Structures are given as C-alpha cells and as structure tokens.
Amino acid sequence: MDAAGSIVCDAPENAAPEWRIGEGLTPYAEALAAMEARAAAIRAGTAGELVWLVEHPPLYTAGTSARPDELVDPSRFPTFRAGRGGHWTYHGPGQRTGYVMLDLIRPHGAIRPRDVRAFVWGLEEWLIRALDRFNVRGERREGRIGIWVADRTSGTEAKIGALGVRVTRWVSWHGVALNVDPDLGHFGGIVPCGIAEHGVTSLAALGVTATMADADLALRAAWDEVFGQGERPSTGPRSKAM
C-alpha cells in the first residue's frame, strides 16, 4: 500500500505502467487532481505510467460535449466538469473506473505511437476482452462511443462500458468505466453519454455473478493482450494519421 492508501498491484517486470487499486470510494475531485498531477509528471519524465482502478461515490461528470438538457435531475448527485471528451457520465459504487495515464509518444503493444484513434480503439478492445472472460460479448457501434451488449432476440442493446479520455501533450488521462454491479437506476438522472434511445446494463443485470476483484483480474489480463507484450488483437484499429 502506498502513502495515498492505494493497493499497488504487482505487474510483470517488463510491463511499463504501474497498477493501483484504490481502497473504498475515491472522491472525484481528489481523483481529478491526482490524475492531472500524474500526467504532468509523466510529461516531465519524473513519474512512470499508471493504470489506476477506483470506485467513486455516486456522482455525474460532464465531458466537453455535455449539454445542460442532458442533466435530467441536477439535484440528485454532485456534478463535476471533468475536462475529458464526451457527454454526461455516471460514476458510483459497483462500477469499476479505470484511469489510464500513458505516454502516447511511445508504442504500447498493438497501439501505435502518436495515434489517439488507435489509443481509443485500444481502450475499447481492453473492455471487450475483459468482458469476454465472463462470456459476455461486448461490441463497438459506429458513431457511438462505448461498449455495447446486444440482445439478438429482442433487437435491443445497452451500454455496459463507457469511455472518456483527454490527451495533454501526448499524455493520456481519464479512461474507461465498466458496469459490474452498480445501481442502474442512478443513470436516470442523466442522458448517459448523450444517447437517449438506448439503456445501460451491467454484468449483474446480465446474470453474471462477479466481484470487483474478479473484474480487476479480467481487466489486468486483457490489458496485457492489447497494450502489453501478450497476445495481439487479430484486427487492429482503422485509424487515420493524426
């Protein structure tokens, strides 16, 4: 455990990022300040890369594309301007939020350097491969950020994983959110990610019994396949030069 009260995960010797799992519920303002400071230190060369897994108390965060009318119940939970891309997002207990602070000037496994599109594709692939470990098929959707689960019988689909990133001088911060077993009713205070016509779901809602520790193990293993030196994705991101 470090001075900040986080559990430091053991990573393979050749893995670049440090891995941390925050204990308890991490206040969002503290997380935002810590991320910004770590990103600045990575840029300055005084700190290494970090993947930080946390849970937050219930709150709503607004990305740079968030509109006031998408905040349906402004008095329900605290709200924060996140500074990341995207619309309104909910964070709360039962949801694993993964903050990813990488030096994108360097390549990371299948992800090419200086390619933000490829980095976002990698975050999507990370969630998809983690979900696969629970026999859940996560999918991308053209024009919709996030990871989706489709019900082929009814023709409906719902979001199970969200993405919102910021890149400052080629260092990433913010990241992803995976719904393990949150209170899905809490999403009712916003239009999640600006998409009103589709709902949200979780591993628990899909009938998957998984603890947060189970989710963390899946995320750790999937990370190495995409961003590390493990198995490479069979198809890569379709990306234009940035």
Side-chain angles (χ1 to χ4, degrees):
M1 185 181 298
D2 68 1
S6 295
I7 299 171
V8 179
C9 292
D10 291 331
E13 189 173 354
N14 62 348
E18 175 189 354
W19 278 71
R20 291 185 184 178
I21 300 176
E23 288 191 327
L25 300 180
T26 302
Y28 187 76
E30 290 183 15
L32 199 61
M35 273 194 294
E36 187 170 15
R38 184 63 173 244
I42 293 170
R43 271 196 313 277
T46 58
E49 298 174 316
L50 174 66
V51 179
W52 186 23
L53 305 181
V54 304
E55 283 181 272
H56 290 300
L59 56 94
Y60 299 128
T61 70
T64 54
S65 299
R67 300 193 307 268
D69 62 302
E70 295 171 346
L71 181 59
V72 178
D73 189 352
S75 62
R76 188 170 190 179
F77 297 126
T79 61
F80 298 87
R81 288 284 169 185
R84 54 159 174 79
H87 292 256
W88 286 97
T89 297
Y90 167 76
H91 292 305
Q95 180 193 73
R96 178 53 88 205
T97 299
Y99 293 129
V100 180
M101 287 150 274
L102 298 183
D103 177 4
L104 299 184
I105 292 176
R106 302 175 49 239
H108 293 84
I111 310 306
R112 296 181 295 271
R114 297 180 184 270
D115 192 333
V116 176
R117 291 175 187 266
F119 171 62
V120 171
W121 180 92
L123 294 178
E124 293 171 339
E125 189 71 12
W126 179 32
L127 290 179
I128 288 170
R129 287 180 170 240
L131 288 168
D132 187 59
R133 284 164 164 79
F134 299 103
N135 295 315
V136 172
R137 182 178 177 181
E139 300 177 340
R140 298 175 176 87
R141 287 291 179 266
E142 188 70 29
R144 280 193 255 144
I145 295 294
I147 302 302
W148 301 81
V149 177
D151 184 332
R152 305 299 181 188
T153 303
S154 65
T156 61
E157 58 187 15
K159 178 180 278 193
I160 194 169
L163 289 87
V165 300
R166 182 170 179 177
V167 177
T168 306
R169 293 171 57 192
W170 294 111
V171 175
S172 68
W173 43 311
H174 296 279
V176 304
L178 177 65
N179 295 334
V180 180
D181 188 13
D183 185 336
L184 296 180
H186 289 178
F187 287 87
I190 57 172
V191 178
C193 301
I195 301 171
E197 62 269 29
H198 299 289
V200 292
T201 191
S202 66
L203 288 174
L206 295 173
V208 176
T209 302
T211 66
M212 196 63 71
D214 294 331
D216 293 343
L217 288 172
L219 288 166
R220 186 66 185 88
W223 177 274
D224 287 340
E225 294 179 0
V226 180
F227 291 96
Q229 302 302 316
E231 174 193 351
R232 292 292 185 266
S234 57
T235 57
R238 296 187 297 271
S239 177
K240 299 177 181 177
M242 296 295 291

